[in-house]
DNA sequence: GATGAATGAGGTTTCATTCAT
DNA sequence: CATGAATGAAACCTCATTCAT
């Protein structure tokens, strides 16, 4: 038991350390600017060892994206399921999104780039992630519609607006020094969009 | 005069043809995937000639971005100045943005990537473009506030939301077949955001 | 006229100098032991230049083989066509073979190795060369049969024996110092084989 | 005794299984195309274990050649000693040669390549094998000469011709479908050469 | 003794840039 | 001026070999 598990743990550990080093560098410098040797160095291992775990640089890149987006989707789904009303659930879900955007240890920024030219399959994976994320937000909005609180509009546009608008938390340069607070930005975004599609108290 | 002007015109023409070829390719394939030779070929000139006009690939890339964003900013400013009410002006401005996003001949998609790793100055230039664009939208919104039609909130968030939400027109994959119409997406986005910050005629 | 031809000549010249350098080294050290950089160095050019003329090392290797065997086949065919009787024609043809085997400037030794593991197409090319060469010798032998001087046996075996036996000229180590003379070895080989299938003067 | 012998037997067994796996792969794919890991896998042992038995890949290659050629020489010598007349002995010896050429389990094809670039000593070893083999055939031929059946010519050329011509059995591609039968090819080769140097009963 | 994870020297190939024509 | 042949730095990747377990 002991030894074999140790071996497996060791491998898992190495695997993750490479994924993390690679994610860190890919995030900071992009695919082409990041050299395999740098990744190895940051992971504290030899150049050749990276190839024991990943067949090629492209595959490593793909796996980094998969690893991070899978983690994200798990967290996002959980958050979107917790909470009483649709408003609270929306709030929870977008909090996860914002956190992933901001945490430097997460490599989430990679997602917002267009990697179609690197690999078509990677592109499709990312479109899928986006679709899944959007669907979750749409479902939450439809809940609010059923509850009669939101206008019964097609939810795809407000859902995507919410997701896109969360990018704002990455634009600290564009905010006045004292106006930048990611959490309140998120709240304002939600307020505006929900308000924009709220059922107006019956015009008479 | 004649000859010199001809020479100058010739140069200007060449310069633009390179910028356009480069923009086309950079847009489609990204910085690293685009080879100098391809650019020369598409521009219909020799590989060495590109270097008569641009010191390096990076500089060319920078100049492409500058060229395109300058054109964009000009168009965006004009559009934002034309029209009677703030609503019409907002509509005009965002129409330009959407057009730039969609026209493949425009190279605007480049703007939404993070090029910090390619060149720090380029990054700053793009932040500046974003700031300027946001400022124009903020001014329009403040006009609506002064007119008493919009709530007097800090306009930076709704302004950026409008700009970010216009990215939606690039996500045709995420829309149902019959729900994808860039112009109406734009209108819906504007409606939701303006509605979200509209002064409710607070029935008493 | 002048300039363009010069350009073409220049390219042809370079092409041949690379082929020759590569042939020299491939012959001496084999495919894997020969480095692209060595080839470039021996050809007196830069490493990258080789790739302007040949897409890859494999292609270069293939082209070396093609170049040499094409030259050989041309010479072999001509020699096999010149001369009065079948005996003289056979003699001429095998002289060419022996010369190619021995001239260090020719890369003919490459032919006798089995390159199937390097490239299947290359292997087929070489089988084709062998087939063509054998056919020429067979035709000559059949001429002797029609003339009634040789027994009407299937000519494929003696033909291949003649060709294989010419390898002897490469085995100088196996001959006593004073018994090694390629030309007389060739003559002896021909004598033995022809004698071996000669029509015996009718036993009565 | 028991344990030590067992250990020794175990070692011997391992040694041979590596030699055989290596021979199989070297024969099929050549020296460079064969990876140490493949050899270990085919031998059913770990990669590191190969190095317990052979200091390096080159040494292993060398030992494979030695092992195979030693076996061959033993068989060849025995065969050349058995049989009544010189003709029968020649027949027996070349049968061994042909068998070694054809049996894929034998690694004899390696012998016909030029390995000088891999190792000078290996090259010399192979020249020695050739010399020994040729000597055996020469001795048989000289027997025929002493018996007055063959012309008293220098036997080195016909001996080498016989050996080289046995390569034909590897060229199945060059024979017509129904003309390829290794055993009869061998017989024909012997017939032609012996006939070529047979004492003609000179009709007076 | 046996193993296989780790290594890094060394190979092929690409492509931005130069410069003679 | 315009060109494109030539270049070589730099990147990816392989695999023989080592060594801790």
């Amino acid at each position: 038991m002991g030894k074999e598990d140790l071996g497996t743990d060791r491998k898992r550990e190495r695997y993750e350390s490479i994924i993390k080093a690679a994610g860190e560098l890919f995030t900071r410098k992009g695919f082409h600017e990041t050299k395999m040797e740098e990744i190895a160095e940051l992971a504290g291992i030899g150049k050749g060892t990276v190839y024991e775990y990943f067949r090629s640089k492209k595959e490593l890149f793909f796996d980094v994206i998969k690893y991070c987006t899978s983690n994200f989707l798990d967290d996002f789904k959980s958050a979107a399921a917790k909470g009483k009303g649709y408003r609270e659930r929306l709030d929870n879900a977008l909090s996860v999104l914002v956190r992933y955007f901001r945490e430097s240890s997460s490599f989430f920024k990679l997602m917002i780039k267009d990697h179609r030219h690197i690999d078509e399959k990677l592109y499709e994976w990312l479109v899928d992630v986006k679709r899944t994320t959007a669907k979750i937000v749409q479902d939450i909005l439809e809940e609010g519609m059923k509850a009669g609180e939101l206008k019964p509009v097609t939810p795809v546009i407000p859902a995507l607006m919410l997701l896109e608008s969360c990018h704002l938390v990455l634009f600290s340069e564009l905010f006045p020094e004292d106006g930048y607070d990611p959490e309140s930005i998120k709240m304002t975004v939600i307020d505006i969009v929900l308000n924009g599609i709220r059922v107006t108290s019956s015009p008479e």
Side-chain angles (χ1 to χ4, degrees), chain A:
Chain A
M1 182 173 86
K3 251 179 203 170
E4 213 152 9
D5 274 8
L6 192 72
T8 308
D9 281 1
R10 186 70 165 268
K11 279 207 127 192
R12 184 83 210 155
E13 215 176 273
R14 275 268 208 270
Y15 177 87
E16 296 216 343
S17 81
I18 297 172
I19 284 273
K20 268 168 193 159
E24 166 78 19
L25 292 169
F26 283 144
T27 302
R28 210 160 64 211
K29 323 205 300 175
F31 180 75
H32 284 100
E33 238 80 41
T34 301
K35 315 305 167 207
M36 287 302 261
E37 195 153 14
E38 291 175 306
I39 293 171
E41 198 183 8
L42 186 60
I45 58 176
K47 197 189 350 174
T49 308
V50 179
Y51 287 90
E52 294 281 326
Y53 291 82
F54 304 90
R55 248 192 297 267
S56 69
K57 191 184 180 186
K58 250 189 193 168
E59 189 177 300
L60 172 55
F61 186 69
F62 204 154
D63 284 0
V64 166
I65 300 268
K66 273 193 207 161
Y67 182 87
C68 300
T69 53
S70 295
N71 282 352
F72 162 71
L73 275 184
D74 287 348
D75 288 359
F76 193 74
K77 278 177 193 163
S78 309
K82 245 175 267 164
K84 282 173 226 159
Y86 76 97
R87 178 57 157 100
E88 197 177 329
R89 284 211 279 287
L90 182 60
D91 201 55
N92 288 338
L94 295 191
S95 282
V96 169
L97 183 63
V98 166
R99 176 161 56 83
Y100 268 83
F101 271 131
R102 301 193 60 239
E103 270 177 20
S104 69
S105 66
S106 92
F107 324 114
F108 203 66
K109 274 193 245 177
L110 288 171
M111 257 190 67
I112 66 175
K113 293 194 203 165
D114 179 3
H115 300 298
R116 199 188 314 220
H117 51 88
I118 290 182
D119 187 277
E120 189 64 28
K121 275 188 185 160
L122 174 57
Y123 175 75
E124 277 162 27
W125 169 278
L126 287 175
V127 167
D128 242 32
V129 171
K130 245 183 186 157
R131 211 193 308 274
T132 305
T133 315
K135 187 62 170 51
I136 290 168
V137 177
Q138 286 179 48
D139 288 348
I140 293 179
L141 292 180
E142 281 178 337
E143 216 185 307
M145 293 172 188
K146 272 184 200 140
E149 295 184 35
L150 300 180
K151 286 191 217 157
V153 297
T154 316
V156 63
I157 292 179
L160 290 173
M161 283 176 69
L162 284 163
L163 294 171
E164 286 298 303
S165 296
C166 285
H167 290 170
L168 299 196
V169 303
L170 294 172
F171 301 164
S172 55
E173 300 98 332
L174 301 183
F175 286 90
E177 191 72 13
D178 59 347
Y180 182 68
D181 166 25
E183 192 57 21
S184 72
I185 288 174
K186 186 205 72 176
M187 297 301 279
T188 307
V189 163
I190 295 179
D191 279 344
I192 290 175
V193 172
L194 290 190
N195 215 29
I197 59 173
R198 194 182 311 283
V199 169
T200 50
S201 52
S202 69
E204 195 201 351

